[in-house]
Amino acid sequence: MSISTLSLITAQRTTILRSQEQIRDAEKEVSTGRHADVGASLGATTGQAVTLRVELSSVDSQRTSNNLIGVRLDSMQDVLSGLQKSAQSFNSALVTGQTASVDISTLVTQANAGLEQLFGALNTATNGQYLFAGTNTSEQPSVYNNLQDYEGSPAQEALLQSVQDYKNNVDSTFSLATATQTQMEDFLNSSFASLFDYDPDNPSDADASTWKSLWSNSNSDPVLNKITSSESIDVSANANLGAFRDLLQGYAMMAGLGTQNLSEGARNALVSKASSLTSGAVSGLIGLQGDIGLRQERLEAANDRLDSKKAVVKASISSLEDVDVYEASTRVTMLTTQLEAAYSLTSKLQGLSLLNYL
């Protein structure tokens, strides 16, 4: 049986093509650390690798979502911290105002600054969503963005109108200029306070409607986000909470009524009530910060579990898909040597001719 030069050359070309393909696969394995063709290498266990990849993607997606939740909770803490510090400062001034001769205009100035800060803080947004709007995250929670919006607003007019309403409906002798401390206290605890009443369990009652129409676009429903496949946390707060309403009432009370002609009894009652409201607001804000802190702890614990799960899943994937990079590199060297030899042999075969022997 004879073997032609053509058949030898064809066989070498086939060897060269196969070697080139094997080198490409080996080089890919060296650069990626994975089988060049995972499906072909794993065979029946390919489905297991695919399932693990899906699980890894799910963990990564949840971790990304949790990072956004973390930013949201951090932003809420920053806002609350700023409000709490300002409220504490205002309350200290009010306490001093009850025991010493403090110009009430100073308290009015602080109250206006507090209103400006509170309006802006309640309308804080991250990633296009308002933080203190409950589930109504696309609409600003506070009706007013700043003090300029508030000046001459229905809310400000309602505060001043409450004086006349109290006189018409409760005490016909009532006047800010002549009121006793007892009269002023009763007014502040009734007609004035009703403008800030809100019961989240009964949001359709008359007082709640007044609060919503004058001050708030927020609802009181929680925003629940998953932090693991089986656990959710509330990532929201809302402008209807008692701490915000008390703080707003304390600021608005001093800003709106402190500029009026007040009797000594009315002044004393005003400063005392504003102090009581602000003190309660400070406690409420601290409590809310603590509650959000607990949510942050739960989020951190969930992230730790996700990170641990990711490490386990990645290890399982590696056990299926990873290759020995050193072995793959050695294979590249060996195959390259074989390819060079094949090139050399093919070149010699192509140079063979009967004419060389005639």
Side-chain angles (χ1 to χ4, degrees):
M1 181 179 67
S2 62
I3 301 175
S4 69
T5 301
L6 178 61
S7 64
L8 289 173
I9 292 174
T10 301
Q12 284 302 309
R13 285 176 177 171
T14 301
T15 299
I16 288 171
L17 291 174
R18 184 167 58 251
S19 295
Q20 288 174 333
E21 183 177 350
Q22 290 174 339
I23 288 173
R24 283 195 298 270
D25 288 346
E27 287 177 337
K28 183 177 180 181
E29 290 178 352
V30 170
S31 64
T32 64
R34 300 175 63 218
H35 290 297
D37 187 335
V38 174
S41 299
L42 296 184
T45 59
T46 301
Q48 183 180 352
V50 171
T51 299
L52 289 170
R53 284 282 174 187
V54 171
E55 188 171 3
L56 180 62
S57 177
S58 176
V59 171
D60 285 339
S61 295
Q62 184 64 70
R63 198 64 170 81
T64 299
S65 174
N66 285 4
N67 288 341
L68 294 176
I69 292 173
V71 170
R72 181 182 177 93
L73 295 178
D74 287 344
S75 297
M76 291 169 67
Q77 288 284 34
D78 290 341
V79 170
L80 294 173
S81 178
L83 289 176
Q84 185 261 322
K85 289 177 182 177
S86 296
Q88 186 65 62
S89 176
F90 181 54
N91 189 55
S92 296
L94 290 169
V95 170
T96 302
Q98 295 179 68
T99 59
S101 179
V102 174
D103 187 349
I104 198 169
S105 64
T106 301
L107 299 177
V108 170
T109 299
Q110 278 191 263
N112 280 321
L115 283 174
E116 176 87 15
Q117 180 192 28
L118 180 57
F119 292 146
L122 291 177
N123 286 340
T124 300
T126 60
N127 299 312
Q129 294 189 326
Y130 289 103
L131 299 180
F132 300 100
T135 57
N136 194 21
T137 57
S138 61
E139 188 172 3
Q140 64 180 45
S142 171
V143 173
Y144 312 105
N145 283 305
N146 48 48
L147 199 60
Q148 184 177 356
D149 287 349
Y150 174 65
E151 295 292 342
S153 68
Q156 189 180 55
E157 292 176 359
L159 297 186
L160 299 178
Q161 180 60 39
S162 67
V163 177
Q164 188 62 44
D165 291 342
Y166 182 79
K167 182 175 182 177
N168 292 341
N169 301 321
V170 180
D171 185 349
S172 61
T173 67
F174 182 72
S175 166
L176 293 177
T178 62
T180 65
Q181 185 164 341
T182 300
Q183 283 180 307
M184 188 66 170
E185 288 171 350
D186 187 64
F187 158 67
L188 293 174
N189 290 327
S190 56
S191 297
F192 191 89
S194 67
L195 301 177
F196 301 87
D197 285 343
Y198 180 80
D199 181 0
D201 296 325
N202 189 18
S204 61
D205 68 10
D207 287 339
S209 297
T210 299
W211 162 257
K212 296 283 287 183
S213 65
L214 294 178
W215 305 104
S216 173
N217 295 316
S218 172
N219 65 37
S220 301
D221 299 324
V223 178
L224 298 177
N225 281 12
K226 280 186 173 296
I227 55 175
T228 67
S229 60
S230 60
E231 184 179 5
S232 299
I233 62 171
D234 181 6
V235 299
S236 67
N238 67 83
N240 303 324
L241 292 173
F244 296 133
R245 289 186 288 110
D246 285 349
L247 186 57
L248 177 59
Q249 186 177 353
Y251 284 147
M253 177 182 294
M254 184 56 62
L257 301 180
T259 59
Q260 305 299 308
N261 180 24
L262 299 174
S263 67
E264 183 178 355
R267 179 194 183 281
N268 291 339
L270 177 65
V271 174
S272 177
K273 182 62 176 179
S275 176
S276 175
L277 287 166
T278 308
S279 177
V282 169
S283 297
L285 291 172
I286 292 173
L288 183 54
Q289 286 177 281
D291 179 56
I292 293 174
L294 292 176
R295 301 180 214 173
Q296 289 175 307
E297 289 180 3
R298 288 180 60 192
L299 179 64
E300 184 177 350
N303 285 340
D304 288 342
R305 293 195 298 274
L306 287 171
D307 291 343
S308 297
K309 182 177 182 180
K310 180 176 180 177
V312 171
V313 173
K314 288 185 70 174
S316 298
I317 292 173
S318 294
S319 68
L320 292 172
E321 298 183 356
D322 287 2
V323 297
D324 184 337
V325 176
Y326 177 78
E327 184 276 332
S329 179
T330 301
R331 190 157 21 100
V332 169
T333 301
M334 180 187 68
L335 289 169
T336 301
T337 301
Q338 291 176 355
L339 182 61
E340 290 172 350
Y343 280 141
S344 177
L345 180 57
T346 300
S347 176
K348 290 179 180 180
L349 288 173
Q350 288 176 334
L352 293 178
S353 172
L354 287 174
L355 295 176
N356 295 333
Y357 302 96
L358 294 178

